[in-house]
Each structure stands twice: as structure tokens, then as C-alpha cells.
Amino acid sequence: MGSILKKYVYRYNAVIFVYIFLIIIFLGFSISFPIFRSSKNLTNILIQIVPLAMVSIGQTIVLIGGGVDLTVGSVISLTTVIMANFLGDVPSVTIIRILFVFAIAIVIGIINGFICNETKIAPLIVTLCTSSVIDGAVLAYRMSPGGIVPKELGNFINFKFGIVSVSTLIVVVLYIIFITIMSRSTFGIHVYAMGGNSEFAKMAGINVKRVRIMTYIISACLACVTGIVIAARMGSGLPTVGAPFLIDSLTAVIIGGTGFSGGHGFVLGTLAGAVMISVISNALNMANVSPFYQYIAKGAILLIAMIINSRKK
Amino acid sequence: MKDAKLKIETKKRKTFIYVFSNIFRKGGVYFVFLILVVFIGILSPKSLGPSHIMDMLKNSSVLGIVSIAQTLLILTRGIDLSVGANIIFVMLLVDGISMGNPNKTVLVIILALVVGILIGLLNGILVVKLKIEPLVGSLGVMSLITGISYIYTMGFGKGTAPPFINTLGSGQLFGFLPVSVVIWAVISIVFIIILKKTIFGRHIYAVGSNPKSAAVVGINVSRVSLIVYVISGLLVSLAGIIWAGYLSSPTFSGGQYFPLDSIAAVILGGTLFAGGVGGVGGSIIGTLIIGFLASLLNMIGLSHPWKLISSGLIILLIVFSYSGRSRTN
């Protein structure tokens, strides 16, 4: 029993550390600001974490596979404008819109993965260029915010069971699915192997190309889900809404203990990273601190988490 | 028999392709640049006149200086995403403290350079001493510096650059040569010489291509990396001073393009992400490609979205054209 515990602590020490850090921060805020611990605010936090927590799952998986996906922000923007505009203002097209954005996300994932597979260009440059193309397409389609997302979708996403909304439930389900996939399935093992050393993974008989394309498809699809949730909540298409999610998702993933070098990291850690970012910005809002300080808080937490992580290695 | 013949033929073809691709790979970026210039010449012959070329160079000079800093970092396996935030911060400091007062010119320049050195030192210590991955460390620094900039100005940049700094950013020597282009050229030459001719330059390549063997040979790897970070911080703050002179009033927008544009310029110039291979010369051409491409797309009359789309595709195509297909095929 003790040895099993030791094994788990050893294996997940980065994750355990992030959660301890998160709990300390959470307790600290709860003690210092009474408004922060009110049930209304906790409900708010549960809703606020949703987009970042979703999009960061995909980024984690791509980073574990040794890549990086800079297109997530652009895919989110793309999804919101399509959800608000595509095929005119008829409520019944919602399903078609959703299917259409997923189809586009899959194509984007395939393109990203394909280029990374077939060329020697670094993933950073590949996805930088594809995100520029997607951004351009979004702005060509819709220059300014507008369009209408059917209210039914918003009502469904925001429907609450007690303090838990449907969007929060979707996040929980997604985390359970992807934690299981990454830790229990062959695909997960293949992603870790590919990120650790793609040549060795290939020699071991893993279809590296397919696995890489799959990681980019997952990332694009999760960005797409995030876009749908944001569009449903805002009720309209916002061509630049995705931009901050790029840096924020990378920050959440890195706080969660996943590195840029590939082959290691945990989806569970990313959840803590995303929650931490949202909790801190919420608490700073509650404390009436100027939003400008959030940049400093985010940067400081990222650096502190990294310093402590690198100390342990 | 037939098989053997076929083999020889494919071998021949392979060597031909190899030779061709080798030429292309070595001179690829210059080729591409030439094609771009020819395109501009065909589309609008007037724009290749000296004054227009000087304009294009002037618009690229800040990115050019940042790309030199980025080249040094990528050569030693580093990278800096905080360059955009740093340029904006330096610009805000220069404008906000001097308020256009010529007597404070020396003060703000010294202050800006000190700030640059400190930011470089911070990035360097994070990466070299505390062993944080460069991409992550600079991401954190970017966030910090952006926050400090916002708090310093409360969201609205104030003041303006003193006349001397305005001259640096938008003035001309002898009536036709932009000062910022001269500064860019001088810095480029200095760093080409440093990289090619000095011991420190050799150390940079050695550290980048294999830090472990560099350490075995007796190179102080962490000192070399730290110095490179400080130098690049200095270069970026210089770029910030020029940016302050280039813009008529301080603004937060525009800075976000520097990190990724400078990395794209370096990669376009043939410097490898893995470190140890490449140089400043390629990055200059890479910067020019990005700058000339932007003005070419402007000339065709594309709107902003279509410019984003085409520049993304073209940069991807250019990098592909000389980095080639993956070896694992």
C-alpha cells in the first residue's frame, strides 16, 4: 500500500504540487475576501473557468505530443462567427452550424498535423502561419462583432442544476474523457511516446503521423467546443474573442506541469492551471484591483510555478 | 540487368535533385527575396525607386533590430516572446518621462538602455540559472512587463518623444538615408563580425549546437547564454527607442506582432530552431521579406484580412521551399 502511494506521489508530483498551490490560493482568497467565498461568486467562478479549461485540454495533448498549437484562439473566433452567421437567421440551422464548425475544426486539425508531419518546419511556425490564415478568413467573413446565436443554445448552455451549469458539466465530462484517454488508452501512450522521441516511437511501430494528426484534430475540436460555448453565452459572433486564449491556454498548461519539450505532462494538472488563472482574475476583480494587475499576477504565478517545478527535477 | 539500370538512373536523378536542392537551400532565402523584388518591380516599377525603397527599409528597421536579438537567442537555443511587450514598455517610458523635453534626451536613452539590460538579465537568469524553458520564461516576463506598462500609464500612453529620438526613428541623413536604417545596418555589421570573427561568436555557435560538448571544451555555457540575453535585451530596448521616435504618439497596439514576426524572420533567414546553425545575414533578408511582402500586398490593394491570409500562406511556402520535406518519409 505504502509503495503504491509512493509510486503515485512520484509519478504525479507535479500535479499534486499544483493542486496544493491552488488550494492555498483558494483558501487565502476565501479568508481575505468574504465576497469571494459567497455562493453566488463560486457559481460565477464555475462558469468563468469553462472556456479556458476546455481549450487547454487540447493544448495539453498537443504539447505532450511534442508540438504546439497556436491556432486555438483563431479557431475559437472562427467558431463564434460561424455560429452567429452561417446560413441566415433561422433557429433550425443551429445543428447544421454546429456540424459545420466541427467539420472545419477537423479540417484545420488535419492540415496542421499534415504540415507538421510532411515538412521539417517547426510546429510553432506552421501553426503561426495557419492561425494567420484563419484570422484573415474570420475577418474577411465578419469584420466587426454581430450576428445572432439562437437563444435556445444559450439557454441550454447556461441551464443550471443548483450551482452547476451545463457548460461546467461539459467541462467535467471532457476532463474525465481525456484524462482516461491519455492515461489508459493506447492512443494516450502513443502520444507520450511520440512526444518523448518521435523516431523511437516510429521504430516501435507507432503510426506517428496518424497520432500527430489526431492530437491536432483534438485540439481544434476542443477549441471549437469552446467557441460554441462562448458564442452561446455572448449571443453573437466576435471575430477577435479568441486571441487571449492562445497565451492563456499555454499558461494554464505550463502551470499544470506540462513542458514544451514533449513526452510528459498531465491533463489533470492543466485543470488546476486553468482554475488557478480564473480564480486569481476573479479574486482580483472582487477585491476591486485594477485589471492591469492581472497581467502581473498571471506572469508571476507562471514564473513561480515554473521555478518550483524546475527546482524539483 | 534492368533493375541495375533503373537503380543507376534513380541515383543520378537523386544526385541532381540533391545538388539543386542544396543550392536552393543555401541561397533559398536570397532567391525568394529576389523573386519578391521582381514581383514588386513588375507590379509597380515606380515603387523600386530609391525613396520608396528607403521607406520600406525604414518601416522594417525596428523589426530588423529585434530580429538580430532573436537570432542571437535562437542560435543559443533560447527564444524571447517578451520582445513586443519590452518595446512598448521602453517606448512608453521614453515618451512619458521625457514629455518631448529635449533636455531629458540623454536621461531617457540611458534609462531605456538600463531597462533593456535589466529585462535581458531577468530573462537570462530565469532561463540560465533557474532552468526554465525559454519560451515559458519569456511568456511570464511578457505578462509582467505588459502589466507594468499598463499600470505605469493606466492604459493611456502620454507624452511624446524628444526631437533627437524623433530623428532616430523617422529622420533622414543627407536628405535621403533614414537614420533608423543606418542604425540597423551598423548593428547588423557589428553582429555579423562578432558572430563570424570573434571568439565569443564561435562560443555562441558552440553552445547552440551542443551545450554539453561546449562545456567539455571549457566554454562557460551559462555565461555565454546570459551575455546573449543581456545583449538582446539591450538591442530590444534600442528598438523601443527607435519605435518611440517612429510613432508620433505612444500607443499599445502594434507591439503584439513583434515576437512572432521576429521569430518568422529568423526562421525565414535559415536559422534553425535547434540552435547552432544560421546567422544575422539570413535574418536581415528574412526581415526584408516580411517588410517587402507587406508592402507588396498593400500595393496589390488587398484588405487587411486577405493580407493576413496571403502572408500566412506565403511565409509557410517560403519556409517549406528550403527546409524541405521531413526526413522521416
Side-chain angles (χ1 to χ4, degrees), chain A residues 70-131:
Chain A
L70 303 190
T71 60
V72 287
S74 317
V75 174
I76 291 176
S77 306
L78 180 72
T79 310
T80 65
V81 296
I82 290 176
M83 285 305 291
N85 266 79
F86 189 60
L87 283 182
D89 193 16
V90 194
S92 60
V93 295
T94 311
I95 301 289
I96 302 175
R97 285 177 180 171
I98 290 177
L99 291 177
F100 185 65
V101 287
F102 271 109
I104 291 183
I106 290 171
V107 170
I108 290 171
I110 291 175
I111 291 174
N112 280 336
F114 179 79
I115 300 176
C116 291
N117 274 339
E118 303 299 328
T119 69
K120 277 189 236 166
I121 311 171
L124 191 77
I125 299 292
V126 173
T127 52
L128 171 64
C129 291
T130 46
S131 82

Short mmCIF file of all heavy atoms in Angstrom, two decimals, chain A residues 70-131:
data_model
loop_
_atom_site.label_atom_id
_atom_site.label_comp_id
_atom_site.label_asym_id
_atom_site.label_seq_id
_atom_site.Cartn_x
_atom_site.Cartn_y
_atom_site.Cartn_z
N LEU A 70 -0.82 27.03 -32.06
CA LEU A 70 -1.11 28.45 -31.92
C LEU A 70 -2.44 28.83 -32.58
O LEU A 70 -2.81 29.98 -32.58
CB LEU A 70 0.01 29.30 -32.54
CG LEU A 70 1.42 29.11 -32.02
CD1 LEU A 70 2.33 30.18 -32.57
CD2 LEU A 70 1.47 29.14 -30.51
N THR A 71 -3.14 27.84 -33.15
CA THR A 71 -4.38 28.19 -33.85
C THR A 71 -5.60 28.20 -32.95
O THR A 71 -6.67 28.58 -33.40
CB THR A 71 -4.67 27.22 -35.01
OG1 THR A 71 -4.81 25.91 -34.47
CG2 THR A 71 -3.60 27.24 -36.05
N VAL A 72 -5.45 27.79 -31.66
CA VAL A 72 -6.65 27.64 -30.83
C VAL A 72 -7.48 28.91 -30.75
O VAL A 72 -8.71 28.88 -30.88
CB VAL A 72 -6.31 27.13 -29.40
CG1 VAL A 72 -5.93 25.67 -29.42
CG2 VAL A 72 -5.24 27.96 -28.76
N GLY A 73 -6.79 30.06 -30.56
CA GLY A 73 -7.52 31.32 -30.46
C GLY A 73 -8.29 31.63 -31.74
O GLY A 73 -9.46 32.01 -31.70
N SER A 74 -7.62 31.40 -32.88
CA SER A 74 -8.26 31.69 -34.16
C SER A 74 -9.46 30.77 -34.39
O SER A 74 -10.48 31.21 -34.92
CB SER A 74 -7.27 31.51 -35.30
OG SER A 74 -6.04 32.06 -34.96
N VAL A 75 -9.33 29.50 -33.98
CA VAL A 75 -10.45 28.57 -34.17
C VAL A 75 -11.64 29.00 -33.32
O VAL A 75 -12.79 28.91 -33.76
CB VAL A 75 -10.02 27.12 -33.83
CG1 VAL A 75 -11.21 26.18 -33.89
CG2 VAL A 75 -8.95 26.65 -34.80
N ILE A 76 -11.37 29.49 -32.10
CA ILE A 76 -12.46 29.97 -31.24
C ILE A 76 -13.18 31.12 -31.93
O ILE A 76 -14.42 31.12 -32.04
CB ILE A 76 -11.92 30.42 -29.87
CG1 ILE A 76 -11.43 29.20 -29.08
CG2 ILE A 76 -12.99 31.16 -29.08
CD1 ILE A 76 -10.79 29.55 -27.77
N SER A 77 -12.42 32.10 -32.44
CA SER A 77 -13.05 33.24 -33.12
C SER A 77 -13.86 32.75 -34.32
O SER A 77 -15.01 33.18 -34.53
CB SER A 77 -12.00 34.22 -33.61
OG SER A 77 -11.17 34.62 -32.57
N LEU A 78 -13.26 31.85 -35.09
CA LEU A 78 -13.93 31.33 -36.29
C LEU A 78 -15.25 30.69 -35.91
O LEU A 78 -16.29 30.92 -36.55
CB LEU A 78 -13.01 30.30 -36.96
CG LEU A 78 -13.52 29.65 -38.23
CD1 LEU A 78 -13.51 30.66 -39.35
CD2 LEU A 78 -12.67 28.45 -38.61
N THR A 79 -15.22 29.87 -34.84
CA THR A 79 -16.44 29.18 -34.42
C THR A 79 -17.52 30.18 -34.04
O THR A 79 -18.68 30.02 -34.45
CB THR A 79 -16.14 28.28 -33.22
OG1 THR A 79 -15.02 27.47 -33.53
CG2 THR A 79 -17.31 27.41 -32.88
N THR A 80 -17.15 31.22 -33.28
CA THR A 80 -18.20 32.16 -32.85
C THR A 80 -18.83 32.86 -34.05
O THR A 80 -20.04 33.01 -34.09
CB THR A 80 -17.68 33.22 -31.86
OG1 THR A 80 -16.74 34.04 -32.52
CG2 THR A 80 -17.08 32.61 -30.64
N VAL A 81 -18.00 33.27 -35.06
CA VAL A 81 -18.63 33.99 -36.17
C VAL A 81 -19.50 33.06 -37.01
O VAL A 81 -20.55 33.46 -37.50
CB VAL A 81 -17.61 34.74 -37.08
CG1 VAL A 81 -16.91 35.82 -36.30
CG2 VAL A 81 -16.64 33.81 -37.73
N ILE A 82 -19.09 31.80 -37.15
CA ILE A 82 -19.93 30.88 -37.94
C ILE A 82 -21.22 30.57 -37.18
O ILE A 82 -22.30 30.55 -37.76
CB ILE A 82 -19.16 29.59 -38.27
CG1 ILE A 82 -18.07 29.91 -39.27
CG2 ILE A 82 -20.10 28.54 -38.86
CD1 ILE A 82 -17.19 28.75 -39.59
N MET A 83 -21.08 30.37 -35.86
CA MET A 83 -22.27 30.07 -35.06
C MET A 83 -23.28 31.22 -35.14
O MET A 83 -24.48 31.02 -34.98
CB MET A 83 -21.89 29.84 -33.59
CG MET A 83 -21.22 28.52 -33.30
SD MET A 83 -22.17 27.11 -33.84
CE MET A 83 -23.55 27.17 -32.72
N ALA A 84 -22.79 32.44 -35.35
CA ALA A 84 -23.70 33.58 -35.35
C ALA A 84 -24.26 33.90 -36.72
O ALA A 84 -25.28 34.58 -36.81
CB ALA A 84 -22.97 34.81 -34.78
N ASN A 85 -23.61 33.46 -37.78
CA ASN A 85 -23.99 33.94 -39.10
C ASN A 85 -24.41 32.88 -40.10
O ASN A 85 -25.25 33.13 -40.95
CB ASN A 85 -22.80 34.65 -39.74
CG ASN A 85 -22.86 36.11 -39.49
OD1 ASN A 85 -22.51 36.51 -38.39
ND2 ASN A 85 -23.35 36.87 -40.43
N PHE A 86 -23.80 31.75 -40.05
CA PHE A 86 -23.85 30.81 -41.15
C PHE A 86 -25.29 30.43 -41.49
O PHE A 86 -26.09 30.09 -40.61
CB PHE A 86 -23.03 29.57 -40.79
CG PHE A 86 -22.82 28.63 -41.92
CD1 PHE A 86 -22.16 29.04 -43.06
CD2 PHE A 86 -23.29 27.34 -41.85
CE1 PHE A 86 -21.97 28.17 -44.11
CE2 PHE A 86 -23.09 26.46 -42.89
CZ PHE A 86 -22.44 26.88 -44.02
N LEU A 87 -25.63 30.49 -42.77
CA LEU A 87 -26.92 30.07 -43.30
C LEU A 87 -28.10 30.89 -42.81
O LEU A 87 -29.21 30.39 -42.67
CB LEU A 87 -27.18 28.58 -42.96
CG LEU A 87 -26.44 27.57 -43.81
CD1 LEU A 87 -26.83 26.16 -43.39
CD2 LEU A 87 -26.68 27.77 -45.29
N GLY A 88 -27.88 32.16 -42.52
CA GLY A 88 -29.00 33.03 -42.22
C GLY A 88 -29.58 32.85 -40.83
O GLY A 88 -29.12 32.02 -40.04
N ASP A 89 -30.61 33.63 -40.55
CA ASP A 89 -31.12 33.74 -39.20
C ASP A 89 -32.33 32.82 -38.96
O ASP A 89 -33.43 33.28 -38.72
CB ASP A 89 -31.49 35.21 -38.94
CG ASP A 89 -31.73 35.45 -37.47
OD1 ASP A 89 -31.32 34.58 -36.66
OD2 ASP A 89 -32.32 36.47 -37.13
N VAL A 90 -32.11 31.52 -39.08
CA VAL A 90 -33.21 30.58 -38.85
C VAL A 90 -32.81 29.70 -37.66
O VAL A 90 -31.71 29.16 -37.65
CB VAL A 90 -33.43 29.68 -40.09
CG1 VAL A 90 -34.75 28.96 -39.98
CG2 VAL A 90 -33.34 30.49 -41.35
N PRO A 91 -33.67 29.57 -36.65
CA PRO A 91 -33.28 28.80 -35.46
C PRO A 91 -32.92 27.35 -35.78
O PRO A 91 -32.05 26.77 -35.14
CB PRO A 91 -34.54 28.87 -34.60
CG PRO A 91 -35.34 30.00 -35.12
CD PRO A 91 -34.99 30.18 -36.54
N SER A 92 -33.58 26.78 -36.79
CA SER A 92 -33.39 25.35 -37.02
C SER A 92 -32.01 25.01 -37.58
O SER A 92 -31.65 23.85 -37.67
CB SER A 92 -34.46 24.84 -37.98
OG SER A 92 -34.36 25.54 -39.19
N VAL A 93 -31.23 26.05 -37.99
CA VAL A 93 -29.92 25.71 -38.57
C VAL A 93 -28.85 25.49 -37.51
O VAL A 93 -27.71 25.18 -37.85
CB VAL A 93 -29.42 26.80 -39.54
CG1 VAL A 93 -30.31 26.90 -40.74
CG2 VAL A 93 -29.25 28.12 -38.85
N THR A 94 -29.20 25.64 -36.22
CA THR A 94 -28.18 25.51 -35.18
C THR A 94 -27.38 24.22 -35.30
O THR A 94 -26.16 24.23 -35.23
CB THR A 94 -28.85 25.57 -33.80
OG1 THR A 94 -29.71 26.67 -33.78
CG2 THR A 94 -27.81 25.71 -32.72
N ILE A 95 -28.12 23.11 -35.52
CA ILE A 95 -27.44 21.82 -35.61
C ILE A 95 -26.48 21.81 -36.80
O ILE A 95 -25.33 21.36 -36.70
CB ILE A 95 -28.47 20.68 -35.77
CG1 ILE A 95 -29.43 20.67 -34.59
CG2 ILE A 95 -27.76 19.34 -35.90
CD1 ILE A 95 -28.83 20.22 -33.30
N ILE A 96 -26.96 22.36 -37.93
CA ILE A 96 -26.10 22.38 -39.12
C ILE A 96 -24.87 23.23 -38.86
O ILE A 96 -23.75 22.85 -39.21
CB ILE A 96 -26.88 22.97 -40.33
CG1 ILE A 96 -28.12 22.13 -40.59
CG2 ILE A 96 -26.00 23.02 -41.56
CD1 ILE A 96 -29.02 22.67 -41.66
N ARG A 97 -25.08 24.37 -38.18
CA ARG A 97 -23.94 25.22 -37.85
C ARG A 97 -22.93 24.46 -37.00
O ARG A 97 -21.72 24.50 -37.23
CB ARG A 97 -24.40 26.46 -37.09
CG ARG A 97 -25.08 27.49 -37.96
CD ARG A 97 -25.56 28.64 -37.10
NE ARG A 97 -26.21 29.66 -37.90
CZ ARG A 97 -26.87 30.68 -37.37
NH1 ARG A 97 -26.98 30.80 -36.06
NH2 ARG A 97 -27.42 31.58 -38.14
N ILE A 98 -23.45 23.75 -35.98
CA ILE A 98 -22.54 23.02 -35.09
C ILE A 98 -21.77 21.97 -35.87
O ILE A 98 -20.54 21.86 -35.75
CB ILE A 98 -23.33 22.39 -33.92
CG1 ILE A 98 -23.82 23.49 -32.98
CG2 ILE A 98 -22.46 21.41 -33.15
CD1 ILE A 98 -24.67 23.01 -31.84
N LEU A 99 -22.49 21.22 -36.72
CA LEU A 99 -21.80 20.19 -37.52
C LEU A 99 -20.76 20.84 -38.42
O LEU A 99 -19.65 20.34 -38.57
CB LEU A 99 -22.81 19.41 -38.37
CG LEU A 99 -23.75 18.51 -37.59
CD1 LEU A 99 -24.75 17.86 -38.54
CD2 LEU A 99 -22.97 17.46 -36.83
N PHE A 100 -21.13 21.99 -38.99
CA PHE A 100 -20.23 22.67 -39.91
C PHE A 100 -18.96 23.13 -39.21
O PHE A 100 -17.85 22.93 -39.71
CB PHE A 100 -20.97 23.85 -40.55
CG PHE A 100 -20.18 24.56 -41.60
CD1 PHE A 100 -19.83 23.91 -42.78
CD2 PHE A 100 -19.78 25.87 -41.43
CE1 PHE A 100 -19.11 24.55 -43.76
CE2 PHE A 100 -19.06 26.53 -42.41
CZ PHE A 100 -18.71 25.86 -43.57
N VAL A 101 -19.08 23.75 -38.00
CA VAL A 101 -17.87 24.22 -37.32
C VAL A 101 -16.98 23.03 -36.93
O VAL A 101 -15.75 23.13 -37.01
CB VAL A 101 -18.16 25.10 -36.08
CG1 VAL A 101 -18.65 26.45 -36.50
CG2 VAL A 101 -19.09 24.44 -35.11
N PHE A 102 -17.62 21.91 -36.56
CA PHE A 102 -16.79 20.75 -36.23
C PHE A 102 -16.05 20.25 -37.45
O PHE A 102 -14.88 19.86 -37.38
CB PHE A 102 -17.62 19.63 -35.60
CG PHE A 102 -17.72 19.77 -34.12
CD1 PHE A 102 -18.90 20.14 -33.50
CD2 PHE A 102 -16.60 19.54 -33.33
CE1 PHE A 102 -18.98 20.28 -32.13
CE2 PHE A 102 -16.66 19.69 -31.97
CZ PHE A 102 -17.86 20.06 -31.37
N ALA A 103 -16.75 20.24 -38.60
CA ALA A 103 -16.09 19.80 -39.83
C ALA A 103 -14.89 20.69 -40.13
O ALA A 103 -13.79 20.20 -40.44
CB ALA A 103 -17.08 19.84 -40.99
N ILE A 104 -15.09 22.01 -39.98
CA ILE A 104 -13.97 22.93 -40.24
C ILE A 104 -12.83 22.67 -39.27
O ILE A 104 -11.66 22.63 -39.64
CB ILE A 104 -14.44 24.39 -40.13
CG1 ILE A 104 -15.37 24.72 -41.29
CG2 ILE A 104 -13.25 25.33 -40.15
CD1 ILE A 104 -15.81 26.15 -41.30
N ALA A 105 -13.19 22.48 -37.96
CA ALA A 105 -12.15 22.24 -36.96
C ALA A 105 -11.35 21.00 -37.31
O ALA A 105 -10.12 20.98 -37.20
CB ALA A 105 -12.78 22.12 -35.58
N ILE A 106 -12.05 19.94 -37.76
CA ILE A 106 -11.33 18.71 -38.11
C ILE A 106 -10.40 18.96 -39.28
O ILE A 106 -9.24 18.54 -39.28
CB ILE A 106 -12.34 17.58 -38.42
CG1 ILE A 106 -13.04 17.16 -37.13
CG2 ILE A 106 -11.63 16.39 -39.05
CD1 ILE A 106 -14.20 16.22 -37.34
N VAL A 107 -10.88 19.72 -40.27
CA VAL A 107 -10.03 20.02 -41.42
C VAL A 107 -8.80 20.82 -40.97
O VAL A 107 -7.67 20.52 -41.38
CB VAL A 107 -10.82 20.81 -42.49
CG1 VAL A 107 -9.90 21.34 -43.57
CG2 VAL A 107 -11.89 19.92 -43.09
N ILE A 108 -9.01 21.80 -40.09
CA ILE A 108 -7.88 22.60 -39.61
C ILE A 108 -6.87 21.71 -38.88
O ILE A 108 -5.67 21.81 -39.10
CB ILE A 108 -8.37 23.73 -38.68
CG1 ILE A 108 -9.11 24.78 -39.51
CG2 ILE A 108 -7.21 24.39 -37.94
CD1 ILE A 108 -9.81 25.83 -38.67
N GLY A 109 -7.39 20.80 -38.03
CA GLY A 109 -6.51 19.88 -37.33
C GLY A 109 -5.72 19.02 -38.28
O GLY A 109 -4.51 18.82 -38.12
N ILE A 110 -6.41 18.51 -39.32
CA ILE A 110 -5.72 17.66 -40.29
C ILE A 110 -4.64 18.45 -41.01
O ILE A 110 -3.51 17.97 -41.18
CB ILE A 110 -6.73 17.08 -41.31
CG1 ILE A 110 -7.65 16.07 -40.61
CG2 ILE A 110 -6.00 16.40 -42.47
CD1 ILE A 110 -8.75 15.53 -41.49
N ILE A 111 -4.97 19.69 -41.40
CA ILE A 111 -3.98 20.50 -42.12
C ILE A 111 -2.76 20.74 -41.23
O ILE A 111 -1.61 20.52 -41.65
CB ILE A 111 -4.60 21.84 -42.57
CG1 ILE A 111 -5.63 21.58 -43.66
CG2 ILE A 111 -3.53 22.79 -43.07
CD1 ILE A 111 -6.42 22.79 -44.08
N ASN A 112 -3.00 21.16 -39.98
CA ASN A 112 -1.87 21.41 -39.06
C ASN A 112 -1.02 20.17 -38.91
O ASN A 112 0.21 20.22 -39.02
CB ASN A 112 -2.39 21.82 -37.68
CG ASN A 112 -2.78 23.28 -37.62
OD1 ASN A 112 -2.29 24.07 -38.41
ND2 ASN A 112 -3.67 23.61 -36.72
N GLY A 113 -1.67 19.04 -38.62
CA GLY A 113 -0.93 17.80 -38.40
C GLY A 113 -0.20 17.36 -39.66
O GLY A 113 0.96 16.94 -39.60
N PHE A 114 -0.87 17.49 -40.80
CA PHE A 114 -0.28 17.07 -42.07
C PHE A 114 1.00 17.86 -42.36
O PHE A 114 2.04 17.29 -42.69
CB PHE A 114 -1.30 17.26 -43.20
CG PHE A 114 -0.78 16.87 -44.55
CD1 PHE A 114 -0.72 15.53 -44.93
CD2 PHE A 114 -0.35 17.83 -45.44
CE1 PHE A 114 -0.25 15.18 -46.17
CE2 PHE A 114 0.13 17.49 -46.69
CZ PHE A 114 0.18 16.15 -47.05
N ILE A 115 0.91 19.20 -42.20
CA ILE A 115 2.09 20.01 -42.50
C ILE A 115 3.23 19.67 -41.53
O ILE A 115 4.38 19.55 -41.92
CB ILE A 115 1.76 21.51 -42.45
CG1 ILE A 115 0.68 21.84 -43.47
CG2 ILE A 115 2.99 22.34 -42.75
CD1 ILE A 115 0.21 23.27 -43.42
N CYS A 116 2.89 19.49 -40.24
CA CYS A 116 3.93 19.13 -39.28
C CYS A 116 4.55 17.78 -39.62
O CYS A 116 5.74 17.56 -39.42
CB CYS A 116 3.37 19.09 -37.86
SG CYS A 116 2.93 20.70 -37.24
N ASN A 117 3.73 16.85 -40.12
CA ASN A 117 4.24 15.53 -40.48
C ASN A 117 5.15 15.57 -41.68
O ASN A 117 6.21 14.95 -41.70
CB ASN A 117 3.06 14.61 -40.83
CG ASN A 117 2.49 13.95 -39.62
OD1 ASN A 117 3.15 13.86 -38.59
ND2 ASN A 117 1.25 13.51 -39.72
N GLU A 118 4.71 16.25 -42.72
CA GLU A 118 5.35 16.11 -44.02
C GLU A 118 6.48 17.09 -44.26
O GLU A 118 7.20 16.98 -45.25
CB GLU A 118 4.31 16.25 -45.15
CG GLU A 118 3.16 15.26 -45.06
CD GLU A 118 3.61 13.81 -45.16
OE1 GLU A 118 4.61 13.56 -45.87
OE2 GLU A 118 2.99 12.94 -44.54
N THR A 119 6.63 18.08 -43.41
CA THR A 119 7.72 19.03 -43.63
C THR A 119 8.60 19.09 -42.40
O THR A 119 8.26 18.55 -41.36
CB THR A 119 7.19 20.45 -43.90
OG1 THR A 119 6.62 20.94 -42.69
CG2 THR A 119 6.14 20.46 -44.99
N LYS A 120 9.74 19.77 -42.55
CA LYS A 120 10.63 19.91 -41.41
C LYS A 120 10.37 21.20 -40.64
O LYS A 120 11.13 21.57 -39.76
CB LYS A 120 12.07 19.92 -41.92
CG LYS A 120 12.64 18.54 -42.15
CD LYS A 120 14.13 18.65 -42.44
CE LYS A 120 14.44 18.00 -43.75
NZ LYS A 120 15.77 18.33 -44.24
N ILE A 121 9.31 21.91 -41.02
CA ILE A 121 9.04 23.20 -40.39
C ILE A 121 8.59 22.98 -38.94
O ILE A 121 7.81 22.07 -38.66
CB ILE A 121 7.95 23.96 -41.16
CG1 ILE A 121 8.27 23.97 -42.65
CG2 ILE A 121 7.80 25.37 -40.64
CD1 ILE A 121 7.16 24.51 -43.51
N ALA A 122 9.10 23.81 -38.02
CA ALA A 122 8.74 23.67 -36.61
C ALA A 122 7.25 23.94 -36.43
O ALA A 122 6.70 24.84 -37.07
CB ALA A 122 9.55 24.65 -35.77
N PRO A 123 6.58 23.17 -35.54
CA PRO A 123 5.14 23.34 -35.30
C PRO A 123 4.76 24.78 -34.96
O PRO A 123 3.69 25.25 -35.33
CB PRO A 123 4.86 22.42 -34.11
CG PRO A 123 5.95 21.44 -34.11
CD PRO A 123 7.13 22.07 -34.76
N LEU A 124 5.67 25.48 -34.24
CA LEU A 124 5.41 26.86 -33.86
C LEU A 124 5.17 27.70 -35.11
O LEU A 124 4.23 28.50 -35.17
CB LEU A 124 6.60 27.40 -33.07
CG LEU A 124 6.41 28.73 -32.37
CD1 LEU A 124 5.60 28.57 -31.12
CD2 LEU A 124 7.74 29.36 -32.04
N ILE A 125 6.01 27.53 -36.12
CA ILE A 125 5.90 28.32 -37.35
C ILE A 125 4.68 27.85 -38.15
O ILE A 125 3.92 28.67 -38.67
CB ILE A 125 7.18 28.17 -38.20
CG1 ILE A 125 8.39 28.69 -37.43
CG2 ILE A 125 7.03 28.91 -39.52
CD1 ILE A 125 8.39 30.15 -37.20
N VAL A 126 4.49 26.54 -38.24
CA VAL A 126 3.35 26.01 -39.00
C VAL A 126 2.05 26.59 -38.47
O VAL A 126 1.25 27.18 -39.21
CB VAL A 126 3.31 24.47 -38.92
CG1 VAL A 126 2.03 23.95 -39.56
CG2 VAL A 126 4.52 23.85 -39.58
N THR A 127 1.84 26.46 -37.14
CA THR A 127 0.55 26.88 -36.60
C THR A 127 0.45 28.41 -36.55
O THR A 127 -0.64 28.96 -36.61
CB THR A 127 0.30 26.28 -35.21
OG1 THR A 127 1.43 26.56 -34.39
CG2 THR A 127 0.11 24.79 -35.29
N LEU A 128 1.60 29.07 -36.46
CA LEU A 128 1.59 30.54 -36.54
C LEU A 128 1.02 30.96 -37.89
O LEU A 128 0.16 31.85 -37.98
CB LEU A 128 3.01 31.07 -36.36
CG LEU A 128 3.24 32.55 -36.62
CD1 LEU A 128 2.46 33.35 -35.61
CD2 LEU A 128 4.71 32.89 -36.52
N CYS A 129 1.51 30.31 -38.96
CA CYS A 129 1.05 30.68 -40.30
C CYS A 129 -0.41 30.28 -40.50
O CYS A 129 -1.20 31.08 -41.02
CB CYS A 129 1.92 30.00 -41.36
SG CYS A 129 3.58 30.65 -41.41
N THR A 130 -0.79 29.07 -40.08
CA THR A 130 -2.19 28.68 -40.28
C THR A 130 -3.11 29.59 -39.45
O THR A 130 -4.21 29.93 -39.91
CB THR A 130 -2.45 27.21 -39.92
OG1 THR A 130 -1.84 26.93 -38.68
CG2 THR A 130 -1.91 26.27 -40.96
N SER A 131 -2.66 30.01 -38.26
CA SER A 131 -3.54 30.86 -37.46
C SER A 131 -3.69 32.22 -38.14
O SER A 131 -4.77 32.82 -38.07
CB SER A 131 -3.03 31.01 -36.03
OG SER A 131 -2.04 31.97 -35.95
#
